[in-house]
């Protein structure tokens, strides 16, 4: 029996670019990055105000590439900073659009993903989706306890790539994602390590601004007492401290670069400080993987290393050497978010998963209906 073919447009907005892809089932027909001039974007008061400009650039690019929009079956955008939701593929609806437009959990270019998908799909009378946004929250109650009653641990992580590679590895192993216990380490500008228990990320570090291993740009978990003393020293403004933690932390703070290739070149040239710092980053990732194995009570089917840093052979080897006693280590370098978006939409179009409904403020505490 011939496989049914679905054609999907995927949209991943960034701060100064919009990545688009057209897929026929899993096969990419087009992947393109549209660059936007910063001066043009500055004309818009809010990120949400950019949607018409970005929509027109997308439609123009598709026209130039000869893409027939009438052949599309769905449009899938990158999920933005919504309310906490379970993982899965969500149909874009009015409740979601409202939260994306006002930036419920913050202003970020990814908020445009669902808006753009809706705008293009509605004109074609086809569905618009988002898949596994960074606010996916499947933490177990015990994982939310921080030890400090005024602060609860939050789930903010690379959900799209983590879940996409977890599903791919499950397929390689001849299993379903919800049959396996996996540890997935996404290692890029930020690093998040998730404990995937039978299809749910029951614990993960908040890689946005708070905890876990330090990364090329982020400080990760730092000694709390010393951080409090620094904040009240009178030497720094709040914004300066945040920049030192996020953006100027990690490799940038120690070595002045967020480029792992440059750091490896520094090490090859005999830079001992670079060697120590780079090894410390791998050491901290391994520690976080070890902690995730405790969450899963040692019952781990595989450890997956993904993200841009997973291209670094020595970096991967250092992590693997420390954690391979837990489970086999599988490396999936890089992240293909456009592909992951297409795969999420495909699962719904094929009937392999039910689409989920975003409930906005009607839901508490997690905005999802099965």
């Amino acid at each position: 029996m011939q496989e049914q073919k679905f054609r999907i447009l995927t949209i991943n907005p960034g701060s100064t670019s919009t990545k688009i892809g057209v897929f026929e089932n899993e096969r990419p027909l087009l992947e393109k990055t549209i660059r936007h001039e910063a001066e043009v974007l500055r004309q818009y008061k809010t990120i949400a105000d950019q949607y018409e400009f970005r929509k027109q650039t997308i439609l123009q690019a598709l026209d130039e590439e000869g893409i027939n929009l009438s052949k599309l079956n769905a449009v899938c955008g990158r999920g933005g900073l919504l309310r906490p939701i379970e993982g899965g593929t969500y149909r874009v609806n009015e409740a979601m659009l409202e939260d994306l437009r006002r930036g419920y959990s913050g202003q970020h270019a990814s908020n445009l993903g669902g808006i753009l998908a809706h705008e293009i799909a509605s004109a074609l009378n086809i569905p618009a989706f988002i898949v596994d946004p960074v606010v996916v929250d499947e933490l177990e109650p015990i994982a939310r306890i921080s030890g400090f009653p005024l602060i609860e641990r939050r789930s903010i992580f690379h959900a799209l790539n983590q879940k996409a590679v977890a599903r791919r590895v499950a397929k390689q192993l001849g299993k379903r994602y919800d049959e396996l216990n996996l540890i997935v380490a996404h290692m890029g500008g930020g690093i998040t390590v998730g404990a995937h228990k039978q299809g749910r990320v029951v614990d993960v570090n908040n890689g946005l601004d708070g905890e876990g291993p330090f990364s090329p740009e982020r400080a990760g978990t730092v000694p709390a007492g010393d951080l409090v003393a620094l904040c009240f020293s009178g030497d720094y403004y709040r914004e300066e401290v945040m920049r030192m933690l996020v953006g100027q932390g990690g490799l940038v703070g120690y070595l002045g670069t967020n480029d792992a290739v440059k750091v490896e070149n520094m090490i090859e040239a005999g830079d001992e400080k670079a060697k120590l710092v780079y090894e410390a980053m791998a050491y901290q990732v391994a520690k976080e993987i070890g902690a995730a194995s405790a969450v899963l009570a040692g019952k781990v089917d595989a450890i997956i290393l993904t993200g841009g840093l997973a291209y670094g052979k020595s970096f991967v080897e250092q992590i693997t050497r420390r954690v391979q006693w837990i489970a086999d280590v599988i490396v999936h370098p890089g992240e293909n978010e456009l592909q992951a978006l297409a795969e999420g939409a495909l699962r719904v179009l094929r009937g392999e998963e039910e689409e989920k409904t975003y409930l906005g403020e009607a839901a508490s505490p997690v905005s999802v209906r099965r």
Side-chain angles (χ1 to χ4, degrees):
M1 184 176 177
Q2 189 173 6
E3 181 184 29
Q4 185 175 359
K5 292 182 179 179
F6 295 101
R7 189 168 288 196
I8 302 162
L9 169 64
T10 59
I11 304 171
N12 183 7
S15 57
T16 60
S17 68
T18 304
K19 295 178 181 178
I20 60 172
V22 178
F23 293 80
E24 190 168 83
N25 290 353
E26 289 88 357
R27 183 170 67 92
L29 303 179
L30 168 70
E31 293 186 76
K32 185 180 182 71
T33 299
I34 305 168
R35 306 288 178 186
H36 308 302
E37 296 293 333
E39 309 85 69
V40 174
L41 296 181
R42 276 197 291 266
Q43 298 174 21
Y44 301 97
K45 188 174 180 181
T46 68
I47 288 174
D49 291 339
Q50 299 173 15
Y51 86 88
E52 183 63 33
F53 162 73
R54 296 215 193 200
K55 183 179 80 169
Q56 293 305 321
T57 63
I58 291 169
L59 294 176
Q60 181 181 342
L62 292 171
D63 183 60
E64 291 172 354
E65 297 289 342
I67 299 297
N68 185 343
L69 297 183
S70 68
K71 292 187 176 181
L72 293 177
N73 299 102
V75 185
C76 191
R78 178 74 186 270
L81 296 175
L82 295 160
R83 299 165 194 266
I85 56 177
E86 288 183 336
T89 299
Y90 288 76
R91 177 80 71 109
V92 179
N93 60 15
E94 283 303 319
M96 182 185 296
L97 290 170
E98 181 181 348
D99 281 350
L100 289 173
R101 286 174 183 139
R102 65 176 174 148
Y104 177 82
S105 295
Q107 294 292 337
H108 191 273
S110 62
N111 292 356
L112 288 166
I115 298 171
L116 290 167
H118 170 77
E119 289 291 322
I120 294 172
S122 60
L124 300 169
N125 198 29
I126 58 177
F129 301 108
I130 67 164
V131 180
D132 291 331
V134 295
V135 293
V136 164
D137 185 347
E138 299 168 339
L139 297 187
E140 292 184 341
I142 198 169
R144 301 183 190 279
I145 304 297
S146 70
F148 185 53
L150 297 182
I151 299 175
E152 184 177 86
R153 292 187 68 237
R154 294 189 298 156
S155 176
I156 300 180
F157 71 110
H158 303 90
L160 182 62
N161 188 49
Q162 281 212 25
K163 282 182 169 280
V165 296
R167 289 186 178 99
R168 288 172 200 152
V169 167
K171 192 172 182 180
Q172 290 173 14
L173 298 176
K175 300 279 189 177
R176 295 196 317 271
Y177 173 44
D178 61 7
E179 292 178 323
L180 297 173
N181 286 350
L182 302 167
I183 298 172
V184 184
H186 175 105
M187 307 178 299
I191 295 175
T192 55
V193 179
H196 296 236
K197 184 178 181 181
Q198 298 176 345
R200 297 174 61 83
V201 184
V202 296
D203 202 344
V204 65
N205 63 296
N206 175 356
L208 179 64
D209 59 10
E211 54 183 358
F214 74 83
S215 75
E217 300 175 351
R218 297 170 193 172
T221 301
V222 296
D226 293 334
L227 179 60
V228 171
L230 182 76
C231 291
F232 286 89
S233 66
D235 294 331
Y236 305 99
Y237 292 109
R238 180 182 184 276
E239 293 76 15
E240 290 178 292
V241 174
M242 285 305 299
R243 277 198 302 272
M244 287 190 287
L245 294 174
V246 182
Q248 296 176 3
L251 295 185
V252 173
Y254 285 107
L255 304 173
T257 181
N258 63 358
D259 189 333
V261 175
K262 287 185 179 178
V263 175
E264 289 173 353
N265 291 338
M266 293 164 67
I267 294 170
E268 288 180 14
D271 189 323
E272 289 298 322
K273 180 181 178 182
K275 182 174 183 289
L276 178 63
V277 171
Y278 201 51
E279 289 181 355
M281 188 166 67
Y283 171 83
Q284 289 198 3
V285 173
K287 278 178 64 178
E288 197 74 16
I289 290 171
S293 73
V295 170
L296 298 172
K299 298 175 182 176
V300 183
D301 293 293
I303 297 167
I304 306 169
L305 305 181
T306 185
L309 290 175
Y311 284 111
K313 184 179 178 183
S314 66
F315 189 72
V316 166
E317 286 176 348
Q318 289 176 54
I319 296 170
T320 301
R321 176 170 53 84
R322 293 183 181 274
V323 303
Q324 60 188 351
W325 59 274
I326 299 170
D328 289 341
V329 177
I330 300 172
V331 182
H332 271 257
E335 54 180 309
N336 192 335
E337 292 168 335
L338 295 175
Q339 179 88 38
L341 292 171
E343 290 170 356
L346 267 176
R347 289 191 294 274
V348 168
L349 294 174
R350 287 170 168 166
E352 297 170 359
E353 286 182 15
E354 289 186 16
E355 66 180 50
K356 293 183 177 180
T357 302
Y358 183 79
L359 299 179
E361 62 183 355
S364 179
V366 178
S367 305
V368 62
R369 177 190 294 145
R370 291 191 181 279

